[in-house]
């Protein structure tokens, strides 16, 4: 026999007792709630005839699924735990004759009071179950979180092959998805993971913005990544974001700020694996630009000791990876630091030490940058090797081809300026001509505009 629930009485009151009438109202309510909660999944919810019949007759062993509960509560204005509890006549009574609460007993003819409503000091078990389900349910299940995580890893893995111009739209979409989900509801575990993924999406975009020469945008993304990761105590992502912020400040020519940013992060976690990057990429290179030789040597030495402590890979790790710097990547940054200090012999020794690892890496940018550093050092020698330097410069430009990044642009431009005293030399003229052609690409022109 059907049970008279509050749900049934509300539908009778609103003339929604057929599946067609109810389903139309339900779908409209789902669409409104999807817009209000910014949860587009809700807009596709529907109710089958069989499902409607079970709800209407009150034959429920458990409450409806969490999303359906949200729509029902929005549509009918009552908690689901009440909607599917037994209804009493008093649920719809207003001030008036309470004698209406009396019903006729069919066998004796005597009048008796209808069953009293539940005591106010005793909670409804269904209400407890419904509340627990709402607290532990959310709009980001494990499959969604896994998709976000694997997509971000895929971008990092393909970055040095595809570059920022190809991958930035995908990274933006992932960041937007993470932010849209964070506007909804999740249990603590899922929400923490969403914060981590949102921070890493912002971090990747910050790194890409540096490579594209947009330093103000990079600073905004990197700050967002740092703040989101700090909100959940994710030190690994926090330190990586600080390293990317320092990286951005360095290429913007703000060397003292780049060093201060990296130094503050290292001070917070001096033995952390992410401090290798902060020391080599953040501190040493910026200190080289300011001419502090002793501090450069200290930063590089500390980075190499940490590399031994954490047993990092020997090879050239991806420039955008969230993993700790490999040893070859650290030494490549040391080369750049010594170029700034005009430590020519040290540049050539370190470059030779990592030459095989660099040449066998998949990173065309890294091969290009090391060539440009060595070319600059060859011009800084007491007896400059102009032909070799310019040949390396041309190789560097060809390696980048049609995927220029700001670091290659800046160093190839600086090499041209270093070669100025020999502008009439045929090799210098050839390099200058090739640089002008290469830097006429729209992406390189944008970097030139940003640098000026």
């Amino acid at each position: 026999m059907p049970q008279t629930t509050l749900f049934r009485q509300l539908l009778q009151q609103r003339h929604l007792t057929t599946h067609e009438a109810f389903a139309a109202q339900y779908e409209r309510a789902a669409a409104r709630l999807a817009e209000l909660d910014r949860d587009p999944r809700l807009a596709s919810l529907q109710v089958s005839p069989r499902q409607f019949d079970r709800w209407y007759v009150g034959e429920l062993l458990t409450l409806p699924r969490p999303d359906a509960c949200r729509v029902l509560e929005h549509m009918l204005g009552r908690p689901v735990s009440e909607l599917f509890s037994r209804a009493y006549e008093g649920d719809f009574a207003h001030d008036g004759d309470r004698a209406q609460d009396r019903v006729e007993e069919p066998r004796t003819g005597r009048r008796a009071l209808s069953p009293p409503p539940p005591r106010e000091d005793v909670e409804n078990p269904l209400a407890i179950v419904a509340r627990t389900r709402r607290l532990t349910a959310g709009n980001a299940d494990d499959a969604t979180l896994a998709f976000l995580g694997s997509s971000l890893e895929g971008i990092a893995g393909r970055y040095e092959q595809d570059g920022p111009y190809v991958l930035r739209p995908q990274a933006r979409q992932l960041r937007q998805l993470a932010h849209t989900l964070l506007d909804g509801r999740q249990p603590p575990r899922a929400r923490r993971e969403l914060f981590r993924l949102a921070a890493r999406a912002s971090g990747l975009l910050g790194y890409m913005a540096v490579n594209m020469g947009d330093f103000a945008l990079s600073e905004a993304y990197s700050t967002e990544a740092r703040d989101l990761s700090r909100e959940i105590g994710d030190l690994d992502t926090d330190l990586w974001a600080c390293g990317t912020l320092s990286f951005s400040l360095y290429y913007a020519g703000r060397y003292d700020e780049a060093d201060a940013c990296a130094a503050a992060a290292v001070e917070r976690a001096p033995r952390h694996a992410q401090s290798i990057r902060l020391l080599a990429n953040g501190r040493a290179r910026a200190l080289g630009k300011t001419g502090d030789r002793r501090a450069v040597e200290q930063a590089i030495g500390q980075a190499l000791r940490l590399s031994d402590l954490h047993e990092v890979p020997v090879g050239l790790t991806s420039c955008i990876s969230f993993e700790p710097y490999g040893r070859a990547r650290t030494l490549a940054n040391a080369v750049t630091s010594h170029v700034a200090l005009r430590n020519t012999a040290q540049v050539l020794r370190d470059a030779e030490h990592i030459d095989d690892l660099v040449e066998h890496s998949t990173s065309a940018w890294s091969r290009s940058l090391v060539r440009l550093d060595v070319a600059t050092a060859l011009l800084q020698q007491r007896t400059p090797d102009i032909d070799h330097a310019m040949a390396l410069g041309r190789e560097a430009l060809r390696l980048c081809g049609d995927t220029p990044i700001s670091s290659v642009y800046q160093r190839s431009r600086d090499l041209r300026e270093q070669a100025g005293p020999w502008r009439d030399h045929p090799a210098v003229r050839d390099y200058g001509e090739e640089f002008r052609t290469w830097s006429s690409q729209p992406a390189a022109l944008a970097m030139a505009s940003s640098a000026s």
Side-chain angles (χ1 to χ4, degrees):
M1 181 176 178
Q3 178 177 319
T4 302
T5 60
L6 179 58
F7 176 82
R8 182 184 179 93
Q9 288 191 348
L10 286 171
L11 264 58
Q12 290 171 345
Q13 188 183 58
R14 301 181 187 192
H15 307 292
L16 300 175
T17 55
T18 66
H19 171 257
E20 291 77 9
F22 175 81
Q25 291 290 331
Y26 181 89
E27 289 168 19
R28 281 196 284 272
R32 287 195 302 271
L33 186 60
E35 185 176 352
L36 288 171
D37 284 3
R38 297 181 181 178
D39 189 350
R41 297 177 306 109
L42 298 178
S44 63
L45 292 182
Q46 295 180 328
V47 179
S48 68
R50 185 178 176 186
Q51 190 176 26
F52 170 73
D53 289 342
R54 285 201 303 269
W55 291 355
Y56 190 69
V57 300
E59 294 178 352
L60 294 179
L61 297 177
T62 62
L63 291 175
R65 294 176 66 84
D67 286 343
C69 289
R70 292 167 63 191
V71 176
L72 289 171
E73 291 179 350
H74 178 71
M75 175 181 174
L76 299 174
R78 302 290 283 270
V80 170
S81 56
E82 292 181 16
L83 290 174
F84 293 104
S85 297
R86 181 176 177 181
Y88 298 95
E89 295 176 26
D91 287 338
F92 293 97
H94 299 284
D95 291 339
D97 186 7
R98 299 300 297 167
Q100 293 178 1
D101 291 342
R102 297 182 178 274
V103 296
E104 189 77 20
E105 288 190 355
R107 293 185 181 179
T108 64
R110 291 178 297 176
R111 300 184 66 78
L113 287 173
S114 61
R119 288 169 47 192
E120 291 184 2
D121 60 340
V122 178
E123 287 195 78
N124 187 324
L126 278 176
I128 297 172
V129 173
R131 184 62 178 164
T132 302
R133 287 188 64 174
R134 291 190 66 189
L135 289 173
T136 57
N139 61 350
D141 56 18
D142 288 342
T144 301
L145 296 174
F147 166 76
L148 278 168
S150 63
S151 297
L152 291 173
E153 288 175 7
I155 288 173
R158 301 194 314 275
Y159 186 69
E160 297 205 21
Q161 286 72 50
D162 295 345
Y165 305 97
V166 172
L167 294 173
R168 185 165 69 163
Q170 184 181 344
R172 281 176 167 172
Q173 290 173 353
L174 292 171
R175 173 180 173 270
Q176 182 58 52
L177 175 57
H179 282 236
T180 298
L181 292 171
L182 282 169
D183 282 338
R185 173 188 294 169
Q186 307 87 31
R189 175 189 62 81
R191 191 161 185 83
R192 185 183 189 283
E193 179 64 4
L194 267 179
F195 262 82
R196 188 183 76 88
L197 294 169
R200 293 199 165 198
S202 298
L204 292 179
L205 285 165
Y207 196 100
M208 292 180 191
V210 177
N211 286 161
M212 298 174 77
D214 195 337
F215 307 120
L217 184 62
S218 175
E219 187 171 353
Y221 275 135
S222 300
T223 301
E224 178 178 87
R226 182 196 64 192
D227 292 349
L228 289 175
S229 55
R230 285 185 180 178
E231 190 67 26
I232 57 170
D234 180 2
L235 182 61
D236 200 54
T237 306
D238 176 1
L239 296 177
W240 189 93
C242 290
T244 303
L245 181 56
S246 173
F247 176 63
S248 175
L249 293 167
Y250 173 86
Y251 278 106
R254 296 156 62 183
Y255 304 122
D256 288 332
E257 292 175 70
D259 175 48
C261 176
V266 171
E267 187 175 352
R268 291 176 55 219
R271 293 172 65 85
H272 197 283
Q274 289 291 345
S275 288
I276 300 170
R277 175 174 178 242
L278 287 160
L279 288 161
N281 186 268
R283 295 215 66 195
R285 298 195 316 164
L287 290 164
K289 288 291 189 179
T290 63
D292 193 335
R293 293 175 180 272
R294 183 176 179 182
V296 167
E297 293 296 342
Q298 289 177 339
I300 293 171
Q302 190 178 347
L304 292 173
R305 287 191 294 275
L306 277 177
S307 298
D308 293 336
L309 177 66
H310 290 283
E311 298 181 348
V312 299
V314 174
L316 196 72
T317 49
S318 169
C319 64
I320 204 169
S321 173
F322 287 100
E323 297 302 315
Y325 256 27
R327 194 174 185 88
R329 178 67 65 185
T330 298
L331 288 173
N333 280 268
V335 167
T336 305
S337 306
H338 288 301
V339 167
L341 294 171
R342 305 180 73 85
N343 291 340
T344 304
Q346 187 69 53
V347 169
L348 299 179
R349 278 197 301 271
D350 285 349
E352 184 177 4
H353 182 65
I354 61 174
D355 180 69
D356 188 59
L357 293 170
V358 171
E359 290 307 301
H360 286 88
S361 77
T362 59
S363 174
W365 295 330
S366 296
R367 297 199 298 275
S368 176
L369 289 167
V370 171
R371 278 169 169 75
L372 289 167
D373 281 343
V374 172
T376 302
L378 290 172
L379 292 181
Q380 292 172 349
Q381 293 180 121
R382 183 169 298 177
T383 304
D385 189 342
I386 300 170
D387 288 324
H388 190 191
M390 295 299 97
L392 289 174
R394 291 195 300 273
E395 286 179 20
L397 296 176
R398 292 166 190 168
L399 279 167
C400 272
D402 58 358
T403 56
I405 56 173
S406 60
S407 51
V408 173
Y409 172 79
Q410 287 192 16
R411 287 189 219 178
S412 58
R413 178 200 60 195
D414 292 347
L415 178 63
R416 184 191 59 175
E417 293 175 358
Q418 289 264 354
W422 305 280
R423 63 176 59 88
D424 293 329
H425 191 290
V428 175
R429 288 200 303 269
D430 290 345
Y431 174 74
E433 200 57 46
E434 193 151 349
F435 174 77
R436 278 189 290 274
T437 301
W438 180 83
S439 60
S440 65
Q441 300 176 74
L445 288 172
M447 292 170 196
S449 175
S450 174
S452 63

